[in-house]
């Protein structure tokens, strides 16, 4: 009974998403699980996708404040505009503290940040926002709550229409084609793995290469290889700490606090050698 209900809800969610996105032609390859119509227009998108909220011991978003301001806030005239923050990924500190922490970190930017957990109607809150922030934490919890509040297709469409987006950690992972390359434990079951497809490939944040001495589990490279064996048409972009993608229309620019090779992104494809992307590389997708 539970299985039938879940299957029904998944079909309903995809149907609603297709309606909001103006098409019923979602990608046919079920393994890709990409929440994106085949004719999606990426030309208006503006987003900053941060691998992490911290870099070394600099503190929460300290390394990214200038990126946030110079790359998204100022160019899009977002001073004093409404910014909706989505804290759903955070379980340990709680939403109020997470909101307070964000406001303190970005205090000098004088932003009008409102956390969605205060809203009686999350859909209307997103419909009326000028910018969307999505914080880090557990990606399964984040995606679960996004579906529960009917926000996945809506946010995807808002960003496609030009509403700026900033996400870090889990918030960057869900900006990809699906959440399937998260690093997190599945503590709760979301309705689907489909996410925003702001960037139409997989993102693996917090990438760390290799294994600590004495660790007998899989490395991140091995985990991503497993993903690609099961999802052979996918491409995974692995972002090290202190790095980000700046999305501008159909272009992405990789930026990093560190020079190459340490600060390089890694690109994984099925049965292909791992590629390295140096900081300041710009590419189209």
């Amino acid at each position: 009974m539970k299985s039938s209900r879940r299957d029904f809800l998944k079909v309903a969610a995809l149907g609603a998403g297709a309606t909001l996105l103006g098409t019923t032609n979602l990608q046919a390859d079920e393994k890709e699980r990409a929440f994106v119509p085949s004719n999606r227009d990426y030309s208006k998108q503006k987003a900053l996708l941060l691998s992490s909220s911290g870099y070394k011991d600099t503190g929460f978003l300290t390394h990214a404040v200038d990126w946030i301001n110079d790359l998204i806030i100022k160019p899009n005239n977002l001073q004093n505009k409404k910014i909706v923050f989505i804290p759903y990924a955070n379980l340990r500190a709680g939403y109020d503290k997470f909101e307070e922490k964000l406001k303190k970190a970005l205090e000098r930017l004088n932003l009008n940040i409102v956390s969605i957990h205060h809203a009686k109607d999350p859909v209307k809150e997103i419909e009326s926002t000028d910018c969307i922030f999505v914080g880090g934490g557990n990606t399964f919890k984040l995606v679960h709550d996004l579906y529960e509040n009917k926000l996945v297709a809506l946010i995807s469409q808002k960003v496609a229409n030009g509403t700026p987006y900033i996400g870090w950690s889990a918030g960057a992972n869900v900006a990809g084609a699906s959440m399937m390359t998260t690093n997190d434990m599945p503590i709760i079951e979301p309705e689907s793995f489909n996410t925003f497809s702001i960037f139409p490939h997989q993102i693996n944040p917090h990438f760390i290469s290799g294994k600590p001495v004495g660790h007998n589990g899989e490395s991140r490279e091995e985990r991503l290889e497993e993903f690609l064996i099961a999802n052979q048409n996918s491409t995974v972009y692995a972002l090290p700490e202190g790095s980000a993608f700046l999305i501008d229309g159909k272009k992405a620019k990789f930026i990093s606090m560190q020079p190459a090779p340490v600060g390089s992104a890694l690109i994984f494809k099925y049965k292909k050698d791992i590629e390295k992307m140096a900081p300041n590389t710009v590419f189209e997708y």
Side-chain angles (χ1 to χ4, degrees), residues 161-194:
N161 288 341
T163 299
Y165 177 101
I166 297 176
W168 56 92
S169 188
N173 175 256
V174 298
S178 81
M179 65 165 286
M180 294 172 71
T181 47
T182 180
N183 306 307
D184 297 331
M185 186 176 289
I187 61 172
I188 190 170
E189 183 180 4
E191 202 57 59
S192 171
F193 291 157
N194 300 332

Short mmCIF file of all heavy atoms in Angstrom, two decimals, residues 161-194:
data_model
loop_
_atom_site.label_atom_id
_atom_site.label_comp_id
_atom_site.label_asym_id
_atom_site.label_seq_id
_atom_site.Cartn_x
_atom_site.Cartn_y
_atom_site.Cartn_z
N ASN A 161 13.88 31.51 -15.05
CA ASN A 161 13.33 32.79 -15.46
C ASN A 161 14.19 33.99 -15.04
O ASN A 161 13.83 35.13 -15.34
CB ASN A 161 11.92 32.96 -14.92
CG ASN A 161 10.92 32.05 -15.62
OD1 ASN A 161 11.17 31.57 -16.71
ND2 ASN A 161 9.78 31.82 -14.98
N GLY A 162 15.30 33.73 -14.31
CA GLY A 162 16.22 34.81 -14.00
C GLY A 162 16.38 35.18 -12.55
O GLY A 162 17.16 36.08 -12.22
N THR A 163 15.67 34.51 -11.63
CA THR A 163 15.84 34.80 -10.20
C THR A 163 17.19 34.25 -9.74
O THR A 163 17.44 33.05 -9.87
CB THR A 163 14.72 34.15 -9.37
OG1 THR A 163 13.46 34.69 -9.78
CG2 THR A 163 14.91 34.43 -7.88
N PRO A 164 18.09 35.08 -9.19
CA PRO A 164 19.41 34.61 -8.77
C PRO A 164 19.31 33.57 -7.65
O PRO A 164 18.41 33.62 -6.81
CB PRO A 164 20.11 35.88 -8.29
CG PRO A 164 19.41 36.99 -9.01
CD PRO A 164 17.97 36.55 -9.08
N TYR A 165 20.28 32.67 -7.64
CA TYR A 165 20.32 31.55 -6.70
C TYR A 165 21.72 31.44 -6.12
O TYR A 165 22.71 31.51 -6.86
CB TYR A 165 19.95 30.27 -7.43
CG TYR A 165 20.01 28.99 -6.62
CD1 TYR A 165 18.86 28.41 -6.12
CD2 TYR A 165 21.23 28.33 -6.39
CE1 TYR A 165 18.91 27.21 -5.39
CE2 TYR A 165 21.28 27.14 -5.67
CZ TYR A 165 20.12 26.59 -5.17
OH TYR A 165 20.17 25.41 -4.46
N ILE A 166 21.80 31.27 -4.81
CA ILE A 166 23.07 30.98 -4.15
C ILE A 166 22.87 29.76 -3.26
O ILE A 166 21.97 29.73 -2.43
CB ILE A 166 23.57 32.17 -3.29
CG1 ILE A 166 23.85 33.39 -4.18
CG2 ILE A 166 24.83 31.78 -2.52
CD1 ILE A 166 24.26 34.63 -3.41
N GLY A 167 23.71 28.74 -3.45
CA GLY A 167 23.63 27.54 -2.63
C GLY A 167 25.01 27.08 -2.24
O GLY A 167 25.97 27.26 -3.00
N TRP A 168 25.12 26.52 -1.04
CA TRP A 168 26.40 25.98 -0.61
C TRP A 168 26.22 24.57 -0.07
O TRP A 168 25.20 24.23 0.50
CB TRP A 168 27.09 26.88 0.42
CG TRP A 168 26.29 27.18 1.66
CD1 TRP A 168 26.29 26.49 2.84
CD2 TRP A 168 25.37 28.28 1.84
NE1 TRP A 168 25.44 27.09 3.75
CE2 TRP A 168 24.87 28.19 3.17
CE3 TRP A 168 24.94 29.33 1.03
CZ2 TRP A 168 23.95 29.12 3.68
CZ3 TRP A 168 24.04 30.25 1.55
CH2 TRP A 168 23.56 30.12 2.86
N SER A 169 27.23 23.73 -0.32
CA SER A 169 27.21 22.34 0.14
C SER A 169 25.97 21.64 -0.40
O SER A 169 25.83 21.48 -1.60
CB SER A 169 27.30 22.30 1.67
OG SER A 169 27.47 20.99 2.15
N ALA A 170 25.04 21.22 0.46
CA ALA A 170 23.81 20.59 -0.02
C ALA A 170 23.07 21.50 -0.99
O ALA A 170 22.46 21.04 -1.96
CB ALA A 170 22.91 20.24 1.16
N GLY A 171 23.12 22.80 -0.75
CA GLY A 171 22.46 23.77 -1.62
C GLY A 171 23.09 23.86 -2.99
O GLY A 171 22.44 24.26 -3.96
N ALA A 172 24.37 23.49 -3.10
CA ALA A 172 25.03 23.40 -4.40
C ALA A 172 24.73 22.07 -5.06
O ALA A 172 24.48 21.99 -6.27
CB ALA A 172 26.54 23.58 -4.25
N ASN A 173 24.73 20.99 -4.27
CA ASN A 173 24.44 19.67 -4.81
C ASN A 173 23.08 19.62 -5.48
O ASN A 173 22.94 19.08 -6.59
CB ASN A 173 24.52 18.63 -3.69
CG ASN A 173 24.11 17.24 -4.15
OD1 ASN A 173 23.01 16.80 -3.85
ND2 ASN A 173 24.97 16.56 -4.88
N VAL A 174 22.05 20.21 -4.85
CA VAL A 174 20.70 20.15 -5.41
C VAL A 174 20.52 21.07 -6.61
O VAL A 174 19.51 20.99 -7.32
CB VAL A 174 19.62 20.46 -4.36
CG1 VAL A 174 19.66 19.44 -3.25
CG2 VAL A 174 19.74 21.88 -3.81
N ALA A 175 21.50 21.94 -6.88
CA ALA A 175 21.44 22.77 -8.08
C ALA A 175 21.82 21.98 -9.32
O ALA A 175 21.63 22.44 -10.44
CB ALA A 175 22.37 23.98 -7.94
N GLY A 176 22.36 20.77 -9.13
CA GLY A 176 22.71 19.91 -10.24
C GLY A 176 21.53 19.12 -10.76
O GLY A 176 20.38 19.32 -10.36
N ALA A 177 21.83 18.17 -11.65
CA ALA A 177 20.78 17.39 -12.31
C ALA A 177 20.00 16.53 -11.33
O ALA A 177 18.81 16.27 -11.51
CB ALA A 177 21.39 16.51 -13.40
N SER A 178 20.66 16.04 -10.29
CA SER A 178 19.99 15.28 -9.23
C SER A 178 20.85 15.35 -7.98
O SER A 178 21.97 15.85 -8.01
CB SER A 178 19.78 13.82 -9.65
OG SER A 178 20.97 13.07 -9.46
N MET A 179 20.32 14.84 -6.87
CA MET A 179 21.06 14.83 -5.62
C MET A 179 21.91 13.56 -5.47
O MET A 179 22.49 13.31 -4.42
CB MET A 179 20.09 14.92 -4.43
CG MET A 179 19.17 13.71 -4.29
SD MET A 179 18.36 13.61 -2.68
CE MET A 179 19.73 13.08 -1.67
N MET A 180 22.02 12.76 -6.51
CA MET A 180 22.58 11.41 -6.39
C MET A 180 24.08 11.38 -6.11
O MET A 180 24.62 10.33 -5.77
CB MET A 180 22.26 10.60 -7.63
CG MET A 180 20.77 10.33 -7.78
SD MET A 180 20.34 9.57 -9.37
CE MET A 180 21.02 7.93 -9.17
N THR A 181 24.77 12.51 -6.23
CA THR A 181 26.19 12.55 -5.89
C THR A 181 26.45 13.36 -4.63
O THR A 181 27.51 13.94 -4.44
CB THR A 181 27.03 13.10 -7.07
OG1 THR A 181 26.41 14.29 -7.57
CG2 THR A 181 27.12 12.06 -8.17
N THR A 182 25.47 13.39 -3.73
CA THR A 182 25.68 13.93 -2.40
C THR A 182 26.61 13.01 -1.61
O THR A 182 26.77 11.83 -1.94
CB THR A 182 24.35 14.08 -1.64
OG1 THR A 182 24.60 14.62 -0.34
CG2 THR A 182 23.65 12.74 -1.48
N ASN A 183 27.19 13.53 -0.55
CA ASN A 183 28.04 12.73 0.34
C ASN A 183 27.29 12.29 1.59
O ASN A 183 27.89 11.68 2.48
CB ASN A 183 29.26 13.56 0.77
CG ASN A 183 30.02 14.13 -0.40
OD1 ASN A 183 30.40 13.41 -1.30
ND2 ASN A 183 30.25 15.44 -0.38
N ASP A 184 26.01 12.58 1.68
CA ASP A 184 25.30 12.50 2.96
C ASP A 184 24.63 11.15 3.21
O ASP A 184 24.35 10.38 2.29
CB ASP A 184 24.24 13.60 3.03
CG ASP A 184 24.86 14.98 2.99
OD1 ASP A 184 26.01 15.12 3.44
OD2 ASP A 184 24.20 15.91 2.51
N MET A 185 24.35 10.91 4.49
CA MET A 185 23.65 9.70 4.91
C MET A 185 22.15 9.87 4.64
O MET A 185 21.58 10.92 4.92
CB MET A 185 23.90 9.47 6.41
CG MET A 185 23.33 8.18 6.93
SD MET A 185 23.78 7.92 8.69
CE MET A 185 25.54 7.58 8.53
N PRO A 186 21.49 8.84 4.12
CA PRO A 186 20.06 8.94 3.82
C PRO A 186 19.19 8.80 5.07
O PRO A 186 18.58 7.76 5.31
CB PRO A 186 19.83 7.79 2.83
CG PRO A 186 20.87 6.79 3.19
CD PRO A 186 22.07 7.58 3.63
N ILE A 187 19.10 9.86 5.83
CA ILE A 187 18.39 9.83 7.11
C ILE A 187 16.88 9.93 6.96
O ILE A 187 16.12 9.66 7.90
CB ILE A 187 18.88 10.96 8.04
CG1 ILE A 187 18.62 12.33 7.41
CG2 ILE A 187 20.37 10.78 8.35
CD1 ILE A 187 18.91 13.49 8.33
N ILE A 188 16.43 10.33 5.76
CA ILE A 188 15.00 10.43 5.48
C ILE A 188 14.82 10.25 3.99
O ILE A 188 15.72 10.60 3.21
CB ILE A 188 14.43 11.79 5.96
CG1 ILE A 188 12.91 11.81 5.91
CG2 ILE A 188 15.03 12.95 5.17
CD1 ILE A 188 12.29 13.03 6.61
N GLU A 189 13.69 9.68 3.57
CA GLU A 189 13.49 9.38 2.15
C GLU A 189 12.75 10.51 1.45
O GLU A 189 11.59 10.78 1.75
CB GLU A 189 12.70 8.08 1.99
CG GLU A 189 12.53 7.67 0.54
CD GLU A 189 11.74 6.38 0.39
OE1 GLU A 189 11.27 5.85 1.42
OE2 GLU A 189 11.59 5.91 -0.76
N PRO A 190 13.40 11.17 0.48
CA PRO A 190 12.70 12.19 -0.29
C PRO A 190 11.79 11.57 -1.32
O PRO A 190 11.91 10.39 -1.66
CB PRO A 190 13.84 12.98 -0.95
CG PRO A 190 14.94 11.98 -1.07
CD PRO A 190 14.82 11.05 0.11
N GLU A 191 10.88 12.36 -1.85
CA GLU A 191 9.94 11.85 -2.84
C GLU A 191 10.63 11.43 -4.12
O GLU A 191 10.19 10.53 -4.84
CB GLU A 191 8.89 12.93 -3.15
CG GLU A 191 7.61 12.40 -3.73
CD GLU A 191 6.96 11.37 -2.83
OE1 GLU A 191 6.63 11.68 -1.68
OE2 GLU A 191 6.81 10.21 -3.29
N SER A 192 11.75 12.09 -4.43
CA SER A 192 12.51 11.79 -5.64
C SER A 192 13.93 12.29 -5.43
O SER A 192 14.19 13.11 -4.56
CB SER A 192 11.87 12.50 -6.84
OG SER A 192 12.70 12.41 -7.99
N PHE A 193 14.85 11.79 -6.25
CA PHE A 193 16.22 12.33 -6.26
C PHE A 193 16.35 13.50 -7.23
O PHE A 193 17.40 14.14 -7.29
CB PHE A 193 17.21 11.24 -6.65
CG PHE A 193 17.39 10.16 -5.63
CD1 PHE A 193 17.85 8.90 -6.00
CD2 PHE A 193 17.10 10.36 -4.28
CE1 PHE A 193 18.02 7.89 -5.07
CE2 PHE A 193 17.26 9.36 -3.34
CZ PHE A 193 17.73 8.13 -3.74
N ASN A 194 15.33 13.77 -8.02
CA ASN A 194 15.37 14.87 -8.98
C ASN A 194 15.50 16.20 -8.24
O ASN A 194 14.80 16.45 -7.26
CB ASN A 194 14.08 14.91 -9.81
CG ASN A 194 13.85 13.64 -10.59
OD1 ASN A 194 14.79 12.95 -10.95
ND2 ASN A 194 12.59 13.32 -10.84
#
